[in-house]
Amino acid sequence: MSTRGENATIDRVGVIGAGAMGHGIAQVAVLAGYQVTLFDVNEAALRGGLERIQANLDKGVELGKVEPEERDRALAAISITTTLSDAGKDASLVIEAAPEDLDLKREIFGKLDAASPPHAVLATNTSSLSVTRIAEATKDPGRVLGMHFFNPVHIMKLLELVRTEHTTESTIATARAAGAAMGKTCILVMDSPGFASSRLGLILGMEAVRMLDEGVASAEDIDIAMELGYGHPMGPFRLADLVGLDVRLAVAEYLYRETGSERFKPSETIKRLVSEGKLGKKTGEGFYKWNNE
Ligand SMILES: NC(=O)c1ccc[n+]([C@@H]2O[C@H](COP(=O)([O-])OP(=O)(O)OC[C@H]3O[C@@H](n4cnc5c(N)ncnc54)[C@H](O)[C@@H]3O)[C@@H](O)[C@H]2O)c1
């Protein structure tokens, strides 16, 4: 039996959505020792998510980072379902990683509110939407917060916890405990457009494109400036290409709309690249040309 609070024990975790983020969250959750129920509306996505987890764990064994028994135990601890209430049932924590659509997330949280035990913490992995608006689709917004993981989930150490004015301390404590068990370092941020990570990361990215447009330096040299001058693992152009320029543009437009600040105004260059289908690594070209073989 789980409780919400300082001594929260988490046993069963529901994960909503088995895509790029959901499968990764399910993977770190089973490796943390939790039982996981992974839900998706799409059966093929569920099977694909499970295959990716298996492949990641096999790779972990190959590299000596995961014991074979640990892999087998982790795989045995995941069940998959296309019934949302199965993912909420008996869960101490449910983490939603469905598509970035406010109405969809509000609908899911309304259903989870009814389908999960009252003590369960409900988390959204949204990267930009208002956690407050999502929480307000439930009867108890005190048990809702953002748990913003980074891609790829099994590699990236940061977990941004996003609290609203409703979120209780015990909800945060439960999320912190789960994050630590999953091997993540948690930061705590108030719900505001772009949270901490996207807001600051985007400012750097947008300013870098303005510098390119003004002819200050090439994309390569601006990247080297941040890599060697500031110790960033990769510069803003390489990073934008990896994230996807369409994703970057959508977040910039959202923050520009929400804050009205010129700092987030997307440049014509990024709009042009997106309209030409140059979305970065995933399409083979963005600011750089990528050899995706
Ligand atoms: N991809 C990233 O780098 C990244 C990083 C941080 C946060 N996020 C956030 O994580 C969330 C998921 O993003 P993603 O990249 O994993 O997307 P994705 O498209 O890879 O996966 C979304 C999954 O949700 C499923 N789905 C569709 N409708 C659903 C529903 N009603 N209920 C449950 N599942 C449903 C889809 O079948 C798909 O498998 C978004 O909110 C996104 O903003 C993404």
Side-chain angles (χ1 to χ4, degrees), residues 15-23 25 39-46 49 52 84 96-101 104-105 107-108 111 124-129 147-153 198 242-243 247 251:
V15 178
I16 309 301
M21 299 305 288
H23 89 275
I25 294 168
F39 162 82
D40 202 292
V41 286
N42 181 333
E43 274 211 49
L46 271 177
R52 288 163 88 174
L84 182 70
E96 168 275 318
E100 190 77 338
D101 174 323
L104 175 67
K105 290 191 193 282
E107 187 190 323
I108 290 172
K111 288 182 182 161
T124 173
N125 182 48
T126 180
S127 39
S128 64
L129 300 172
M147 286 179 80
H148 183 204
F149 291 84
F150 287 74
N151 191 13
V153 178
S198 303
L242 286 189
V243 169
V247 176
V251 178

